[in-house]
Amino acid sequence: MEPDQDPDTDDLPLRANTNHILVRHYVLDLTVHFDRKVIGGNVVLFLEPCSGSGTTAEDHAGAKEGAFQCRPRDVDEQEVSTKGLGETPTGAKKSFSARGRDTPEVRALPGSGSAHTAAESGSSPLSHSWETNSGGEFTLLLDCCDLDVSKVEEVDVTSVSATASLLPHVAPRRSAVPSANPKAAFIQNLISVPSSRWRRQHQLFSLCSRAIGARDGGSLHFHRDRWSLQVRKKGVVSPLDFPRVLRICYETRPTGGSVRWTRDQDNRVCVYTAGSPINNRALFPCQEPPVAMSTWQAAVRAPRECVVLMSGEETTVPVEDGGTRSLIWHYYVTMPMPASTFTLAVGNWHQVTAESPPTLEQGLRDQADCSNVAKLGAGPGELGEADLMSGLGSSISVVKGSPFKTGSSRPAAAFCRPQESPATRKAFIFSEWLEGNLDVAGNPLERFCRDQTTSSDSAFSYSSFGDERLSLTDQSGTVDDGMPCSHGDYPCRFTERAARTQRVIPHRVFGPVCLLQKAQMAVLDLLPRCLAAAYHVLGVHPFPRLDVLIVPAGFCSLGMASPHIIFLSQSVLCAGTIGPGEEGPSLCGSRICHEIAHSWFGLVIGARDWTEEWISEGFATYLEDIIWAQAKQLSSQRTADEFDLKALLRWRRLSDELQNSEEQLQILRPHLEHTGQVGESGSSTIKHALNPDKTFMQVHYLKGYFLLRFLASQVGEKSFVNFIRVFVEKYHGQLILSQEFLQMLLVTFPNMERKGLTLGAIYADWLDRPGIPKWLYERNAVWSEARLVEEVKAEVGKWILLSQSPQGKGRKRKRTEPVVNYKEVTSEQLVMLLELLLEEEELSAATLEALQRTYALQNQDAEVKHRWCELVVKHAYTRAYGDVEHFLVHNQAMGVYLYGELMVQEDPEQQALARRCLSLVQEEIDHSARKVVEEMVL
């Protein structure tokens, strides 16, 4: 067994022994306790031993072409025999039931945790005893930290009613490890159920997860160290004989790194997964290596006034939790994904709605009727198979006092059926009305129902775009609809004919009440355009729906994408002043496009080795420009001009970052030729993942982006984007290394190798070395002379002249403002303008005052405000110190290094400002950011 991470290093260990055994499915039953700042409950793991040591990583990553043929998710289960599986009642509700909390098999967790958690150091006596007394028994290793585990037990699946009758009738799609053990055979068959019967499969997973513990020594031995949970069963020496279903009872800790307990902008308590470097191992014990792709379903109990948002393929209807003041929210996924993509947000979120025309609003208010309550039909521990079989159907009721409020006093129609939902009609008609595209000849509601992929999405917004809009790059149908997928068997949208023509997936936006209006203007209005543009660039949306949440101010970045949900920082909401040629707030639009792009690169296609972050972030940065330009319907010339300006801005940022960072953090493929390799057990490390400086670096975004721009320059932008689309068709649902993408590119465009552009040359210039490639220096000179940049330089010259004039220096009393013909600029041009002015040694207070007034800098987006604050600090412009304080308090993800600039000036007033701002946000700022800021300020 590999030792714990050396505390002197900054690498993150992945301890799970995925080459020995894999978690195929998780069932989580969790309760959120805001009073104690913990999440407690249990997780049930369905395990599959690997056929041989070290042979399954690629297989389970889906890297083998043609490994399995997936089936479209709209294939009905009735096409397959249901004998022995039980019948699903018509109109069954889409939920699965959680284990009763009061059953004796899973007791409430003690507040003090377990004695086993005392051994959190590899040097403790208990740890040494655990290591030396294994007796050759097989050990299951799970990635885990900051969890108090009270019990680990084997689940007796034979106790589930009708289980025995199911065994002969569930035909496995494959059998990696045959077993004579009836329980193991049943679980193997259950794991192998074809994707066309995924609802039955999830019902049975849920039924098994609520079974009692095994009576023949079901309580297993377990041990916790700093980074892992280790489990053994006495006498079991092989993964083949290890229990196939485990239940782990645990609680998180208030200081656990996977979740943030904080308050939202309305000062209401909330908790969310923060995208921590340690991923989800402090939320539930799991296998974190990317190759351990699994599905999951979860029941989350939360206070009645809260909304629970999660990765999940369909909207959920919260059900009442007996006589408590809690509601239970159920979510599930059918696409196997790494456990790190599991996302949770619980808070007093409110749904953002479009402001509809007055007559529509009044009519919808009169029609709203969503007062039915969804209740569990049985008490804890009493749910039978019939109840389970009704657990994943379409839900039609709502919870009394539904928390989906819009800020008005009228009832929210969040969970009505499409044909009955005024909210649906409102969202659909208004989005059409907003676009000027209302089809008065047709029935909007009828079209809405026709485009639905599920019947429980009535709270979603839908938008329709005519064929004349966004059609220039529409390539839907260019790939044969019958083309088999190369990934494992799951219900894949890429094979659905309806999904292949669905430009805009159902979407919702949530946030605190105080930001609803900004979110409506900045996010809800842009989201349909961005989704449609992404479809036209990349093809089928990998996920059937999307929630967007405006997260608390302490969120550590501008955005984070997960399956079915995007977190956005409040920093992107300011619409600002729209410049000439701009069709929406640039920062918000480009950020939305960046996070949407992650659906393809980062989620449905992921990096097999997490150190190759550029595969996710480089692609998303490159594609955000293309998608945003498409969303704005720019001309080809305007698109090229904006691309050049953005490239120059990114070049400046990358150049500055590389001058001020360690060389080892600048390498995009830090494992070099060992990339993708793991230890005998499947364990590995993520280099520099715990380095606090790396958290705020953008080298993987920027250097990866420039690599893609370089490759596009070799084959032509249009051909390159078309290639990316073909690559997505081939590799969706799989994990890749850099070489898969580059090799396919070189095969597709053989002229590249004839010009000397080999795989080795690309590695050497871009991925395996620090610094900046030669091509980038050459292109910088070209971008510096681009048209939009030259316009900025001209404006900068005017400001420098003003600063040098008597009026600009404030030496001459003036009755009128100086007459200067300043040209309107876009937000990106304004960022460039301020950056160039930052290079000036001296700018007078009068010039800064005129600059602020001319461009209404207090109303601009956060990128512009950041540069303005840097100017204020550099030139000690005390009149605008309030702008700096406001920025640091409200844009915490962007202000980290501004604290350093305040301190390095050695100006007592500026240093006092830095300390005051830190004191204002220290309770809500991200922990990693606070650590860096405190080192600079304190």
Side-chain angles (χ1 to χ4, degrees):
M1 186 187 307
E2 293 82 349
D4 273 349
Q5 178 201 25
D6 183 339
D8 295 330
T9 71
D10 57 11
D11 297 341
L12 175 68
L14 301 179
R15 299 289 301 277
N17 50 343
T18 55
N19 277 355
H20 298 158
I21 194 166
L22 284 165
V23 179
R24 287 307 196 180
H25 189 77
Y26 298 90
V27 178
L28 294 107
D29 181 7
L30 305 176
T31 301
V32 179
H33 301 282
F34 280 109
D35 55 339
R36 296 190 294 125
K37 294 185 178 180
V38 299
I39 298 174
N42 67 80
V43 58
V44 176
L45 282 56
F46 293 82
L47 302 167
E48 180 181 36
C50 301
S51 56
S53 180
T55 62
T56 61
E58 280 195 359
D59 181 47
H60 295 300
K64 300 282 189 182
E65 182 178 354
F68 308 109
Q69 181 171 345
C70 68
R71 306 187 187 193
R73 63 185 292 123
D74 54 355
V75 174
D76 195 276
E77 293 93 326
Q78 294 177 0
E79 295 179 9
V80 186
S81 171
T82 60
K83 182 179 180 182
L85 284 170
E87 298 297 323
T88 301
T90 304
K93 290 186 289 188
K94 261 179 202 169
S95 64
F96 52 85
S97 300
R99 179 186 179 84
R101 290 175 296 163
D102 300 326
T103 53
E105 291 74 28
V106 183
R107 298 182 298 275
L109 293 173
S112 60
S114 167
H116 293 280
T117 63
E120 300 230 347
S121 169
S123 60
S124 71
L126 183 55
S127 176
H128 178 73
S129 175
W130 173 265
E131 296 293 337
T132 57
N133 296 325
S134 67
E137 292 171 345
F138 171 74
T139 302
L140 168 69
L141 281 91
L142 300 171
D143 294 299
C144 172
C145 71
D146 298 330
L147 295 179
D148 292 325
V149 179
S150 62
K151 185 177 182 181
V152 181
E153 65 177 351
E154 179 180 359
V155 177
D156 184 5
V157 295
T158 60
S159 66
V160 177
S161 62
T163 296
S165 66
L166 295 172
L167 287 171
H169 306 290
V170 181
R173 63 175 183 258
R174 80 198 215 290
S175 182
V177 184
S179 176
N181 183 321
K183 291 188 290 186
F186 168 69
I187 295 303
Q188 183 62 52
N189 286 347
L190 178 56
I191 290 171
S192 304
V193 167
S195 62
S196 60
R197 303 175 76 178
W198 68 266
R199 288 187 187 276
R200 298 280 201 267
Q201 183 187 44
H202 277 219
Q203 290 160 357
L204 291 170
F205 277 137
S206 184
L207 197 61
C208 290
S209 73
R210 292 167 26 254
I212 63 173
R215 292 181 174 86
D216 54 341
S219 184
L220 306 175
H221 302 288
F222 66 96
H223 169 72
R224 274 271 292 106
D225 61 24
R226 184 182 179 190
W227 293 114
S228 69
L229 172 66
Q230 302 163 32
V231 183
R232 295 178 187 149
K233 183 174 182 180
K234 187 175 182 180
V236 172
V237 298
S238 165
L240 299 180
D241 300 319
F242 196 76
R244 299 299 178 89
V245 185
L246 300 184
R247 181 184 294 113
I248 303 171
C249 304
Y250 70 97
E251 276 191 348
T252 64
R253 297 179 183 174
T255 57
S258 295
V259 295
R260 282 292 314 277
W261 298 90
T262 185
R263 290 184 175 271
D264 66 16
Q265 294 85 342
D266 294 330
N267 200 33
R268 305 291 296 273
V269 293
C270 61
V271 61
Y272 62 93
T273 47
S276 165
I278 65 169
N279 298 310
N280 284 323
R281 64 178 67 188
L283 176 59
F284 63 98
C286 57
Q287 290 182 327
E288 288 215 322
V291 295
M293 304 222 286
S294 59
T295 53
W296 62 78
Q297 55 200 96
V300 180
R301 292 174 186 80
R304 177 177 294 273
E305 64 272 15
C306 289
V307 172
V308 177
L309 301 177
M310 254 182 64
S311 308
E313 295 177 12
E314 295 181 357
T315 52
T316 182
V317 179
V319 296
E320 292 195 354
D321 184 23
T324 71
R325 293 183 53 81
S326 298
L327 299 177
I328 306 176
W329 301 71
H330 300 94
Y331 286 92
Y332 66 88
V333 297
T334 60
M335 178 193 298
M337 303 195 75
S340 60
T341 61
F342 181 93
T343 304
L344 173 69
V346 184
N348 290 267
W349 321 124
H350 291 251
Q351 187 173 355
V352 180
T353 59
E355 181 183 351
S356 58
T359 53
L360 247 181
E361 179 73 29
Q362 183 59 47
L364 296 174
R365 187 176 307 176
D366 295 340
Q367 296 175 36
D369 180 16
C370 295
S371 58
N372 294 327
V373 181
K375 295 184 179 181
L376 286 173
E382 297 176 1
L383 215 56
E385 183 180 356
D387 298 296
L388 238 317
M389 292 308 178
S390 67
L392 289 168
S394 178
S395 183
I396 62 172
S397 354
V398 300
V399 172
K400 184 178 181 181
S402 169
F404 281 81
K405 297 182 176 65
T406 63
S408 65
S409 59
R410 65 191 179 87
F415 297 116
C416 297
R417 282 188 175 185
Q419 61 267 34
E420 300 170 348
S421 168
T424 292
R425 193 176 185 89
K426 171 183 173 182
F428 181 84
I429 294 178
F430 181 72
S431 61
E432 294 280 37
W433 172 83
L434 189 65
E435 294 293 330
N437 247 351
L438 183 62
D439 181 5
V440 294
N443 182 336
L445 190 56
E446 183 178 333
R447 281 186 291 143
F448 172 87
C449 295
R450 182 188 66 218
D451 294 338
Q452 287 274 61
T453 57
T454 70
S455 60
S456 60
D457 294 332
S458 61
F460 284 104
S461 297
Y462 293 77
S463 296
S464 174
F465 293 84
D467 290 339
E468 72 279 6
R469 304 255 346 247
L470 298 167
S471 59
L472 296 178
T473 60
D474 181 5
Q475 304 177 45
S476 59
T478 58
V479 177
D480 182 6
D481 288 344
M483 176 182 178
C485 298
S486 302
H487 55 69
D489 183 26
Y490 68 82
C492 178
R493 281 177 54 83
F494 283 78
T495 61
E496 293 179 28
R497 189 172 298 275
R500 296 190 72 83
T501 58
Q502 187 180 27
R503 296 175 175 176
V504 180
I505 56 174
H507 52 276
R508 305 180 298 183
V509 179
F510 293 87
V513 172
C514 66
L515 295 178
L516 293 182
Q517 184 176 5
K518 284 186 176 181
Q520 187 272 325
M521 294 186 297
V523 181
L524 192 62
D525 290 354
L526 286 177
L527 200 50
R529 279 197 286 160
C530 296
L531 287 168
Y535 165 84
H536 283 274
V537 172
L538 294 168
V540 178
H541 287 284
F543 303 104
R545 69 176 194 94
L546 177 65
D547 283 339
V548 177
L549 173 65
I550 310 302
V551 287
F555 186 58
C556 61
S557 65
L558 290 182
M560 184 177 76
S562 302
H564 318 101
I565 186 169
I566 288 173
F567 290 171
L568 281 184
S569 166
Q570 65 178 21
S571 297
V572 308
L573 293 184
C574 180
T577 302
I578 307 302
E582 293 188 303
E583 296 186 14
S586 180
L587 176 60
C588 186
S590 59
R591 177 50 54 173
I592 290 173
C593 292
H594 181 100
E595 303 306 334
I596 289 175
H598 275 310
S599 292
W600 286 268
F601 287 92
L603 294 176
V604 79
I605 296 177
R608 198 185 316 161
D609 187 321
W610 273 340
T611 60
E612 291 201 300
E613 295 173 61
W614 83 271
I615 293 175
S616 173
E617 299 301 349
F619 273 91
T621 304
Y622 174 77
L623 290 167
E624 80 174 59
D625 292 351
I626 297 171
I627 296 172
W628 182 226
Q630 183 68 27
K632 294 190 292 182
Q633 287 291 279
L634 300 181
S635 66
S636 57
Q637 183 59 54
R638 182 69 186 187
T639 297
D641 289 343
E642 288 199 0
F643 283 9
D644 287 347
L645 174 60
K646 290 180 179 179
L648 183 59
L649 285 169
R650 288 172 178 145
W651 151 261
R652 294 169 61 88
R653 198 176 310 156
L654 177 63
S655 179
D656 181 68
E657 184 169 288
L658 296 186
Q659 291 175 22
N660 296 281
S661 62
E662 302 175 42
E663 286 194 349
Q664 61 180 352
L665 299 180
Q666 302 173 15
I667 301 173
L668 300 190
R669 205 173 68 122
H671 286 311
L672 304 178
E673 68 273 11
H674 301 297
T675 299
Q677 296 180 14
V678 297
E680 179 275 332
S681 69
S683 64
S684 61
T685 60
I686 306 175
K687 289 188 71 65
H688 314 304
L690 300 179
N691 188 317
D693 293 333
K694 186 176 181 296
T695 304
F696 304 100
M697 290 185 64
Q698 298 187 55
V699 64
H700 291 86
Y701 295 74
L702 301 176
K703 202 171 178 181
Y705 155 81
F706 283 120
L707 168 56
L708 295 173
R709 284 213 58 160
F710 164 70
L711 296 173
S713 72
Q714 304 300 306
V715 301
E717 189 85 50
K718 184 176 180 180
S719 296
F720 188 66
V721 174
N722 288 343
F723 167 78
I724 289 177
R725 186 176 177 125
V726 174
F727 183 83
V728 168
E729 290 280 352
K730 178 178 176 61
Y731 280 99
H732 69 270
Q734 302 175 59
L735 301 172
I736 65 168
L737 300 175
S738 298
Q739 65 193 48
E740 269 99 0
F741 177 79
L742 295 173
Q743 286 173 341
M744 182 172 169
L745 180 71
L746 294 174
V747 169
T748 304
F749 301 99
N751 283 336
M752 295 177 69
E753 286 199 271
R754 297 190 190 108
K755 294 186 293 184
L757 195 59
T758 63
L759 185 63
I762 297 173
Y763 281 161
D765 289 345
W766 290 93
L767 300 178
D768 294 353
R769 294 177 183 171
I772 296 176
K774 179 182 177 181
W775 177 87
L776 202 43
Y777 282 110
E778 296 170 350
R779 291 303 301 174
N780 169 50
V782 176
W783 295 326
S784 297
E785 298 176 358
R787 182 178 68 84
L788 295 182
V789 178
E790 291 296 331
E791 291 178 358
V792 172
K793 290 178 180 177
E795 297 307 300
V796 170
K798 297 175 186 178
W799 286 105
I800 293 174
L801 288 175
L802 173 64
S803 184
Q804 296 171 350
S805 69
Q807 294 94 338
K809 293 180 178 180
R811 296 174 182 170
K812 181 178 179 180
R813 186 183 300 274
K814 51 185 184 298
R815 297 175 181 267
T816 59
E817 297 291 330
V819 179
V820 182
N821 182 25
Y822 295 110
K823 182 182 176 66
E824 282 190 277
V825 293
T826 67
S827 56
E828 278 94 358
Q829 284 182 303
L830 187 51
V831 170
M832 176 63 73
L833 185 149
L834 296 177
E835 286 193 1
L836 293 178
L837 287 177
L838 273 166
E839 297 174 358
E840 296 298 310
E841 288 299 321
E842 183 179 347
L843 288 177
S844 66
T847 300
L848 292 170
E849 181 182 5
L851 189 71
Q852 183 182 27
R853 183 176 57 252
T854 300
Y855 297 114
L857 294 178
Q858 69 277 8
N859 297 326
Q860 296 292 342
D861 67 37
E863 290 282 6
V864 174
K865 289 179 179 178
H866 189 205
R867 273 58 169 200
W868 165 241
C869 288
E870 289 181 291
L871 273 174
V872 169
V873 173
K874 178 176 181 178
H875 299 288
Y877 181 46
T878 57
R879 296 182 198 173
Y881 279 1
D883 291 350
V884 177
E885 180 173 326
H886 186 275
F887 184 85
L888 290 176
V889 171
H890 295 280
N891 300 278
Q892 296 173 28
M894 303 179 68
V896 171
Y897 292 115
L898 196 55
Y899 283 97
E901 293 172 31
L902 284 168
M903 298 303 295
V904 77
Q905 299 288 334
E906 297 186 353
D907 180 323
E909 189 174 357
Q910 289 191 1
Q911 291 181 343
L913 174 60
R915 295 188 182 98
R916 182 170 69 253
C917 290
L918 177 58
S919 69
L920 291 173
V921 302
Q922 61 183 351
E923 295 302 322
E924 61 183 40
I925 191 172
D926 174 76
H927 297 305
S928 298
R930 184 173 65 185
K931 182 178 179 180
V932 173
V933 172
E934 286 177 344
E935 289 178 354
M936 291 187 288
V937 174
L938 304 179

